[in-house]
Structures are given as structure tokens and as C-alpha cells.
């Protein structure tokens, strides 16, 4: 059986001429016969003049008989509607019009296209019929439509904002989460530039970032900004953006997800304030003194709940004798915003007064975008009572020393109780955090680690004070052993080097032949740690300090040199006094205890300590310890 069957009559009618043309066009015949779609042609009498193999097979399968050239096509008796629809399409084609109908044959959706065929003379000699099975296409479109609707339902119900922009930055798609988070409707937002909704301080940065996307300098990005909701509220959001490309890899815009971080930021913000600034009782105040936050320690020490003080001012509770001074100092915070010390009595809920030592700090709060005051207070009743007794009893120097010793011991031990509580709480908080997942878990752990480090620093200060007290009361002894000073000193230097955030490192130089030194390990470590630490601390931003060990037959000398702020000439004779700090060190953390203890430990080792210093040039400390062979 030939691939393309045609009928040729003896009379050269238009139909015969068309059939002859089809027969002789072998190229066209091959193309048509290899097509999987059903193709056939009818003459003006509605009889077959040709068909391809696919039509032949389908016709045979459907009717149980093969199509015959010169005969009219037959239809399934059970589908009269289909035959009427096809006849209508054929009639339109015979009239010179292209007709297209969708019919159901054997439960398949068939698209039938009827097209007129013209002879060389321009007369209609028949029609060609092209049948395409569109069942899969229609089902796929339906599934695609259903899938699209389901996807839209999912997108509209997620809590994050899904968006798209064009290459100009105009919003062209937003899901329903946009309305919930910003208060703007999708309809009023589409077509606007995304920067319309961003807080002013972030607009320039947003333009730079978007330009980088459009120039193919970035493919994706995740960043945090603040937007202004329709009601004026400031919202923290995280924007994850990806560049969109078409099939030709041309940039057509961006798409991404916006996550609302406002609540997380608010909780994180309050935690940071508490974790970073609290010592005992914490209050956050407006600049007019109105209390906006009170820590839990308030109720423990003064009996008031958080709610009882919110919206009130602390001046109402201060003892009349100190109220005027506190109010005047409070109004001068703008002139000294960083750290202010106040000592006053605060009324307990039971009517009694308790002494508070308070440090206030003025700062600009980025979250609320306004200036607030942090007041950190601790109860000092026992200390004040001791000071009163001290003032009354200081008649003689011996009595003064005895009272001072008692006060230092009491104050140090009183410090240990809250320090122990804070350290235990920090450790418990750290263990609890290991069991949960939070967005800023590592940051929170960092704050807890800072609390732990500061507690350790306070504990060291207490130990220093107690050691001084013991030394002065002659209740102190040394446990000396032979030390390899090169190894010992190198260990101290490396430990201090590791603490330097600016990357500076102290180098050690050794002069002479190293010899063991008889010394107390703990006391010698304190001497070196303190002097090395000071060399770094008071020369920040300058050249790295240095240390030299000089061994000779008579003694060991240790030179520690820095290039820092130096010691003012008027303060040099007070450097080794306990609690003394030079006037150019007030902005640098310190207690004024370290050098006093260093001098005592050097003296216990029968050594000497001296220094040379020029302000803004640097300082050289020289230690000398006699050889003990």
C-alpha cells in the first residue's frame, strides 16, 4: 500500500489535476505520510482523493474498514453530533473559508482543521482536513491551571511576602502577606517603586544594591532594612532577592521573599539592653525621667512590681535630702551623656529608704529611633552603713587602717554574692540556649559569654583587693619555686597577645644567659599579666609594646615598654597608690588596684619596680629581682 493514496481520473478535471499534483510531489507525500496527525483530502463531491498512513490506521480502527479513494468518508453511528459538526466545517472550507472545530472521537479530544485546496486556475478543487489529538494538551492545560490555582492559594497563605519587580524596580507581583505586614493593599502597591516603602535612611543603599543586580554584579542577596507601614509603624524586614532572567539570559527583573523580623528584633533588642547593661536594678527611662522598663531585681530589692513603676518618675521615690541634687544632675545628662554616678536613698514599698549607687547612661536607641536613659543601680546599704561608721571612728591612723580593712573585706565578700548569682544565671541560660533554636542564638550566646567574662573580671578585682588587705595585715605568704623565666614570660605574653582585638603582638627579647628564678608562680604571673596588659591597654592604636629579659650574675631585669599615653608628671608619685588612676585614664577601663598589688608582690620577692614616662610618648617599667643561687 502506498504511503499516500490518490485517485486519478481519465478526464483532467480539477480534482484529477489536484490528485495528479499530490501524486507527483514525492517530497510533500513523504512529509504528510510521516506525520502522526491524521491528514486527508476530499474532492468537491466529498470523496476521498488522498490520506496519510495515520488517518488510514485510525479510520480502520474506528469503523472496522479501510478508507477508499473515490468514496465518501463514513462516521460512527453513535456520534451523530460529531458528523454534523464535521460536515459543517467541510462545507465552510468548500466555500473558501478555513474552518476549525473541536470534536470528541473515541473519548479523545480532536481538533479538526478544514482548509480549501485551489487549482492552478484558482478554483476550489477540494479540501484538506488536518486532525490533531489535543486530549493530552487539554488535560495538561487543566492540570496546569489547577496547579497554578493551588500554587496561588499556597503563596497567598504563607506568612512571608513573595514579590517580583521589573527592571526599573517597580513591583509587579505581591502576595496577600504584603497586606498583613504593611497595611497597604496589593492593588495600591503594584506599579510603585519598592523604595517607596523603605525608611529614608536605607533608600540610597537600596538603589545601589538594585543597580548592582541590573548590571549583573550580583545574582542574589539577603539583607535587613526597615520599612514604613501604612499606619506609620516601623517594620524590620529581611529581604532575600534573586535576579530573574529570560530564556536569552536577559535580566527581566527580580523576585524574592520578605520576612517580617519586627517581633524578633523587639525581643532581641530588649534582651540586648538587659544583657549588656544590667548590673543589679535596671531602669530604662525617657529623657524626661518617665520609666518605660524596670528589671525584675526591682521587686526583689525595693518591693515594686514592673507595672507599679511604668509611666512614673523615680524622683517621686528619692529621699528629700538627695532629691534636689539628683534632679539637677539628671537634667545635666546631655553635657555628660556617657557615664554619671549618683548616690541617693530610694523609698522601699514598705516606706523605708535604701541606699542606691546608680550609674546612668544616655544613648540613642536605633530600634525605637529615639534617645533613652539607662540607669543601673545596686543596693549599698551595708556599704553606706560601714562608711558612716568609718567616718565616725577615724580618729587615729591605726583605727583608720583597721576600719578600712574591715570595709574592704566586707565589700569584697558582698560583691561575691551577686557575682556568683550572675555567673550561675549566665551558665544556666547558656545551657538552656543549647536546647532551643533561635534566629540569633550565636549572638545571644556571645552576650552571655560577655557577662561571664565581666563576672570573672570583677572576681579578679575582688581577689586583688583581698590580697592587698592580707598583705597590709601581714596575713600573706609566698610559695616560691624555681621558674624558667623565658618559658614563663613567653606564656604570659602569648596569653595577652591572644586578647588583643587589634592584632598587635608583643615581642620578647632575651639578653644574657637565661637562669632559673626563685619566685611564687601566682604572684609573678600577676606582676607580668598586669604590666603587659597595661602596656597594650594604654597604647591602643600605637606601635606594639615590647618586653626584654636581661640576665646577669647579680639580678634579673625585666623591661616592659609601650608607646602609649604615658603618665602625667603630676600623677607619677601616686601611681602605686591603691584605687588611684591617672587623670588621662578616665575613659579607659581600670580599677586602680593592679599596680598597687604589683608593687606589693615585687616587694615580697625582694625586688624593685621603677618607671620612666612621658605623656603621649610612652612608658618604660623596669623590674629587678636579685639572684638567689
Amino acid at each position: 500500500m502506498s504511503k499516500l493514496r490518490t485517485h486519478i481520473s481519465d478526464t483532467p478535471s480539477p480534482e484529477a489535476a489536484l490528485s495528479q499534483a499530490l501524486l507527483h510531489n514525492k517530497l510533500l507525500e513523504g512529509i504528510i505520510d510521516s506525520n502522526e496527525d491524521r491528514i486527508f483530502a476530499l474532492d468537491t463531491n466529498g470523496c476521498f482523493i488522498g490520506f496519510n498512513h495515520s488517518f488510514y490506521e485510525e479510520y480502520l480502527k474506528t469503523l472496522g474498514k479501510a478508507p477508499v479513494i473515490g468514496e465518501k468518508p463514513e462516521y460512527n453511528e453513535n456520534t451523530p453530533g460529531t458528523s454534523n459538526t464535521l460536515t459543517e466545517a467541510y462545507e465552510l472550507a468548500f466555500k473558501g473559508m478555513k474552518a476549525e472545530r473541536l470534536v470528541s472521537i473515541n473519548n479523545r479530544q480532536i481538533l479538526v482543521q478544514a482548509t480549501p485546496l485551489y487549482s492552478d486556475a484558482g478554483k476550489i478543487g477540494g479540501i484538506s482536513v488536518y486532525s490533531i489529538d489535543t486530549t493530552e494538551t487539554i488535560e495538561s492545560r487543566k492540570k496546569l491551571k489547577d496547579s497554578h490555582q493551588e500554587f496561588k492559594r499556597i503563596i497567598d497563605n504563607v506568612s512571608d511576602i513573595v514579590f517580583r519587580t521589573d527592571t526599573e524596580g517597580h513591583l509587579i507581583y505581591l502576595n496577600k502577606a504584603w497586606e498583613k505586614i504593611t497595611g497597604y493593599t496589593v492593588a495600591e502597591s503594584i506599579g510603585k517603586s519598592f523604595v517607596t516603602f523603605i525608611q529614608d535612611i536605607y533608600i540610597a543603599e537600596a538603589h545601589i544594591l538594585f543597580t548592582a543586580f541590573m548590571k549583573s554584579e550580583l545574582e542574589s542577596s539577603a539583607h535587613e532594612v526597615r520599612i514604613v507601614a501604612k499606619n506609620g509603624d516601623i517594620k524590620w524586614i529581611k529581604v532575600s532577592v534573586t535576579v530573574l532572567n529570560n530564556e536569552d539570559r536577559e535580566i527581566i527583573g527580580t523576585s524574592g521573599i520578605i520576612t517580617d523580623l519586627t517581633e524578633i528584633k523587639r525581643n532581641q533588642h530588649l534582651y540586648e539592653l538587659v544583657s549588656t547593661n544590667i548590673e543589679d536594678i535596671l531602669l530604662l527611662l525617657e529623657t524626661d525621667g518617665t520609666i518605660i522598663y524596670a528589671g525584675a531585681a526591682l521587686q526583689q530589692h525595693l518591693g515594686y512590681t514592673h507595672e507599679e513603676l511604668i509611666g512614673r518618675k523615680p524622683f517621686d521615690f528619692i529621699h528629700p535630702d538627695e532629691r534636689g541634687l539628683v534632679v539637677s544632675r539628671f537634667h545635666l545628662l546631655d553635657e555628660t551623656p556617657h557615664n554619671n554616678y549618683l548616690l541617693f536613698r530610694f523609698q522601699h514599698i514598705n516606706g523605708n529608704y535604701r541606699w542606691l549607687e546608680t550609674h546612668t547612661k544616655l544613648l540613642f536607641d536605633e530600634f525605637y529611633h529615639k534617645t533613652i536613659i539607662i540607669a543601673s543601680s545596686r543596693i549599698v546599704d551595708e556599704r553606706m552603713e560601714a562608711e558612716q561608721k568609718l567616718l565616725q571612728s577615724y580618729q587615729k591612723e591605726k583605727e583608720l587602717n583597721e576600719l578600712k580593712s574591715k570595709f574592704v573585706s566586707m565589700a569584697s565578700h558582698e560583691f561575691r554574692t551577686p557575682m556568683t548569682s550572675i555567673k550561675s544565671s549566665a551558665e544556666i541560660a547558656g545551657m538552656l540556649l543549647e536546647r532551643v533554636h533561635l534566629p540569633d542564638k550565636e549572638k545571644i550566646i556571645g552576650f552571655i559569654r560577655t557577662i561571664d567574662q565581666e563576672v570573672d573580671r570583677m572576681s579578679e578585682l575582688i581577689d586583688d583587693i583581698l590580697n592587698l588587705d592580707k598583705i597590709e595585715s601581714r596575713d600573706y605568704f609566698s610559695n616560691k619555686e624555681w621558674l624558667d623565666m623565658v618559658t614563663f614570660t613567653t606564656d604570659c605574653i602569648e596569653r595577652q597577645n591572644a586578647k588583643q582585638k587589634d592584632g598587635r603582638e608583643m615581642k620578647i627579647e632575651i639578653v644574657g644567659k637565661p637562669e632559673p628564678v626563685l619566685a611564687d608562680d601566682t604572684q609573678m604571673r600577676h606582676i607580668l599579666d598586669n604590666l603587659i596588659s597595661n602596656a597594650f591597654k594604654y597604647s591602643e592604636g600605637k606601635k606594639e609594646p615590647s618586653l626584654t629579659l636581661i640576665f646577669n650574675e647579680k639580678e634579673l631585669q625585666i623591661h616592659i615598654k609601650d608607646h602609649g599615653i604615658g603618665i602625667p608628671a603630676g600623677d607619677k608619685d601616686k601611681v602605686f597608690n591603691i584605687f588611684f588612676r591617672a587623670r588621662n585614664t578616665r575613659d579607659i577601663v581600670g580599677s586602680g588596684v593592679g599596680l598597687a598589688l604589683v608593687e606589693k608582690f615585687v616587694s615580697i620577692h625582694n625586688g624593685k619596680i621603677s618607671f620612666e614616662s612621658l605623656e603621649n610618648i610612652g612608658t618604660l617599667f623596669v623590674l629587678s629581682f636579685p639572684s638567689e643561687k
Side-chain angles (χ1 to χ4, degrees):
M1 184 177 69
S2 67
K3 292 184 179 178
L4 182 64
R5 297 164 175 79
T6 58
H7 168 66
I8 305 174
S9 65
D10 296 330
T11 305
S13 64
E15 294 85 349
L18 175 61
S19 179
Q20 190 71 19
L22 289 172
L23 179 65
H24 289 287
N25 193 334
K26 296 299 182 182
L27 177 60
L28 180 61
E29 175 186 332
I31 294 173
I32 292 173
D33 208 35
S34 63
N35 198 310
E36 294 181 356
D37 295 322
R38 273 73 74 184
I39 304 172
F40 65 93
L42 303 176
D43 61 17
T44 53
N45 295 319
C47 298
F48 287 119
I49 57 173
F51 40 78
N52 69 349
H53 183 73
S54 294
F55 177 80
Y56 176 88
E57 293 293 336
E58 185 66 24
Y59 193 94
L60 180 63
K61 176 182 176 182
T62 303
L63 299 176
K65 57 186 295 187
V68 179
I69 298 297
E71 293 185 1
K72 292 185 178 182
E74 297 182 17
Y75 302 98
N76 193 320
E77 296 178 354
N78 297 324
T79 57
T82 299
S83 62
N84 292 337
T85 300
L86 293 177
T87 300
E88 178 187 337
Y90 300 160
E91 289 176 353
L92 289 174
F94 280 122
K95 294 178 180 179
M97 293 178 285
K98 183 176 180 180
E100 192 174 272
R101 296 290 186 272
L102 183 64
V103 295
S104 177
I105 301 176
N106 295 333
N107 295 321
R108 308 290 292 178
Q109 299 298 310
I110 309 298
L111 179 65
V112 179
Q113 297 174 336
T115 306
L117 295 174
Y118 294 93
S119 66
D120 292 340
K123 294 182 178 181
I124 295 175
I127 63 172
S128 66
V129 181
Y130 194 93
S131 303
I132 307 169
D133 190 341
T134 62
T135 306
E136 284 76 12
T137 302
I138 292 174
E139 289 179 354
S140 296
R141 287 177 180 175
K142 184 178 182 302
K143 290 179 180 178
L144 182 62
K145 182 180 179 181
D146 292 342
S147 176
H148 177 75
Q149 290 175 343
E150 180 64 22
F151 179 75
K152 188 176 185 303
R153 280 195 296 270
I154 293 172
I155 291 298
D156 281 340
N157 284 282
V158 297
S159 57
D160 290 340
I161 297 170
V162 180
F163 71 91
R164 270 191 66 183
T165 73
D166 60 17
T167 55
E168 300 297 323
H170 298 119
L171 295 167
I172 59 176
Y173 175 79
L174 291 164
N175 66 340
K176 291 294 183 182
W178 172 262
E179 297 181 347
K180 182 178 179 181
I181 293 174
T182 69
Y184 292 99
T185 65
V186 171
E188 68 181 311
S189 304
I190 293 296
K192 291 184 178 179
S193 172
F194 68 93
V195 299
T196 305
F197 307 96
I198 295 177
Q199 196 175 25
D200 291 347
I201 59 174
Y202 296 98
I203 290 178
E205 181 183 350
H207 277 303
I208 293 172
L209 190 61
F210 190 80
T211 301
F213 281 128
M214 294 302 102
K215 290 183 177 180
S216 299
E217 296 172 0
L218 282 176
E219 290 186 356
S220 62
S221 172
H223 57 283
E224 295 180 3
V225 297
R226 289 186 296 202
I227 61 173
V228 183
K230 191 170 185 177
N231 63 2
D233 287 349
I234 302 299
K235 298 273 189 176
W236 271 103
I237 60 170
K238 179 181 179 181
V239 185
S240 301
V241 191
T242 302
V243 173
L244 288 178
N245 301 92
N246 60 16
E247 295 177 352
D248 298 325
R249 301 297 299 164
E250 296 173 335
I251 295 175
I252 59 173
T254 65
S255 69
I257 295 174
I258 296 174
T259 304
D260 187 358
L261 301 179
T262 307
E263 191 63 28
I264 295 173
K265 286 285 187 178
R266 180 180 291 111
N267 294 335
Q268 173 189 328
H269 172 71
L270 291 175
Y271 181 85
E272 288 173 359
L273 286 178
V274 173
S275 301
T276 306
N277 299 285
I278 192 171
E279 293 181 17
D280 283 323
I281 301 171
L282 178 70
L283 296 179
L284 301 183
L285 307 98
E286 302 276 11
T287 51
D288 66 352
T290 302
I291 299 172
I292 58 176
Y293 175 83
L298 177 76
Q299 186 172 9
Q300 177 186 349
H301 295 297
L302 296 173
Y304 301 100
T305 64
H306 175 89
E307 292 76 13
E308 286 173 319
L309 286 190
I310 296 301
R312 300 187 65 178
K313 296 182 179 180
F315 315 124
D316 301 335
F317 303 88
I318 295 176
H319 193 282
D321 291 350
E322 291 92 40
R323 186 178 300 154
L325 176 62
V326 172
V327 171
S328 62
R329 290 281 300 277
F330 187 87
H331 291 306
L332 292 175
L333 281 177
D334 285 340
E335 299 177 12
T336 55
H338 299 298
N339 201 359
N340 285 274
Y341 170 82
L342 295 170
L343 187 64
F344 54 86
R345 284 168 288 180
F346 196 96
Q347 190 174 37
H348 192 279
I349 196 171
N350 63 13
N352 296 329
Y353 284 92
R354 304 201 67 178
W355 279 101
L356 294 185
E357 180 184 74
T358 301
H359 291 269
T360 59
K361 186 177 182 181
L362 192 71
L363 57 85
F364 183 78
D365 182 6
E366 290 287 348
F367 185 82
Y368 289 109
H369 210 65
K370 64 181 178 181
T371 300
I372 63 171
I373 297 166
I374 295 178
S376 179
S377 306
R378 62 186 58 183
I379 302 293
V380 291
D381 287 342
E382 293 184 6
R383 195 188 79 187
M384 293 303 296
E385 182 180 353
E387 286 181 357
Q388 291 300 319
K389 291 179 180 179
L390 197 63
L391 291 173
Q392 295 169 4
S393 303
Y394 271 41
Q395 302 298 327
K396 296 179 181 180
E397 185 175 349
K398 182 179 180 179
E399 295 174 343
L400 174 65
N401 289 334
E402 290 177 352
L403 285 173
K404 182 186 70 171
S405 178
K406 290 179 182 179
F407 173 72
V408 168
S409 178
M410 180 201 68
S412 299
H413 286 293
E414 286 299 318
F415 268 122
R416 286 189 185 277
T417 301
M419 289 298 104
T420 301
S421 298
I422 293 172
K423 187 174 182 66
S424 298
S425 298
E427 290 174 350
I428 292 171
M431 289 187 290
L432 291 175
L433 276 173
E434 293 298 328
R435 304 177 186 176
V436 298
H437 298 283
L438 295 173
D440 293 304
K441 179 176 177 180
E442 292 301 322
K443 193 172 184 181
I444 295 172
I445 291 174
F447 292 141
I448 293 175
R449 193 178 296 118
T450 300
I451 293 173
D452 192 64
Q453 292 170 351
E454 290 301 310
V455 169
D456 289 340
R457 191 174 70 84
M458 287 297 296
S459 297
E460 290 175 4
L461 174 60
I462 292 171
D463 289 339
D464 289 349
I465 294 173
L466 289 176
N467 284 332
L468 276 172
D469 183 60
K470 289 180 180 179
I471 292 171
E472 291 180 353
S473 63
R474 302 173 185 263
D475 187 21
Y476 199 89
F477 66 94
S478 296
N479 182 21
K480 294 184 179 180
E481 55 183 306
W482 290 104
L483 300 178
D484 178 347
M485 284 304 294
V486 174
T487 301
F488 185 86
T489 305
T490 300
D491 178 68
C492 292
I493 289 174
E494 290 178 350
R495 189 167 57 255
Q496 294 298 327
N497 284 347
K499 296 179 180 180
Q500 308 311 310
K501 296 180 180 180
D502 58 6
R504 292 186 300 158
E505 293 186 351
M506 175 180 279
K507 304 297 183 183
I508 184 172
E509 181 182 358
I510 301 169
V511 178
K513 181 181 178 181
E515 296 285 350
V517 173
L518 188 62
D520 184 291
D521 180 288
T522 301
Q523 296 172 13
M524 186 62 71
R525 193 175 302 278
H526 180 91
I527 292 169
L528 292 178
D529 279 350
N530 182 272
L531 293 176
I532 294 171
S533 175
N534 284 351
F536 278 112
K537 181 166 63 174
Y538 297 114
S539 65
E540 187 174 351
K542 305 293 184 180
K543 181 181 177 183
E544 60 271 9
S546 61
L547 185 148
T548 305
L549 293 178
I550 304 175
F551 295 89
N552 58 50
E553 293 182 356
K554 295 183 179 180
E555 64 182 7
L556 163 67
Q557 286 193 3
I558 304 175
H559 293 195
I560 299 174
K561 183 178 182 181
D562 69 62
H563 306 276
I565 62 176
I567 302 171
D571 293 340
K572 289 182 178 180
D573 59 342
K574 308 182 193 71
V575 164
F576 297 110
N577 292 352
I578 187 171
F579 298 123
F580 174 78
R581 304 202 69 217
R583 62 175 180 270
N584 62 344
T585 65
R586 292 173 184 173
D587 294 331
I588 302 175
V589 174
S591 63
V593 177
L595 281 178
L597 191 56
V598 165
E599 184 188 44
K600 299 295 183 184
F601 284 153
V602 171
S603 178
I604 288 173
H605 285 78
N606 300 315
K608 296 179 181 178
I609 181 170
S610 61
F611 67 88
E612 298 174 3
S613 183
L614 290 175
E615 195 167 2
N616 297 319
I617 298 298
T619 301
L620 170 66
F621 275 91
V622 178
L623 305 172
S624 60
F625 300 96
S627 297
E628 296 184 36
K629 296 185 179 179

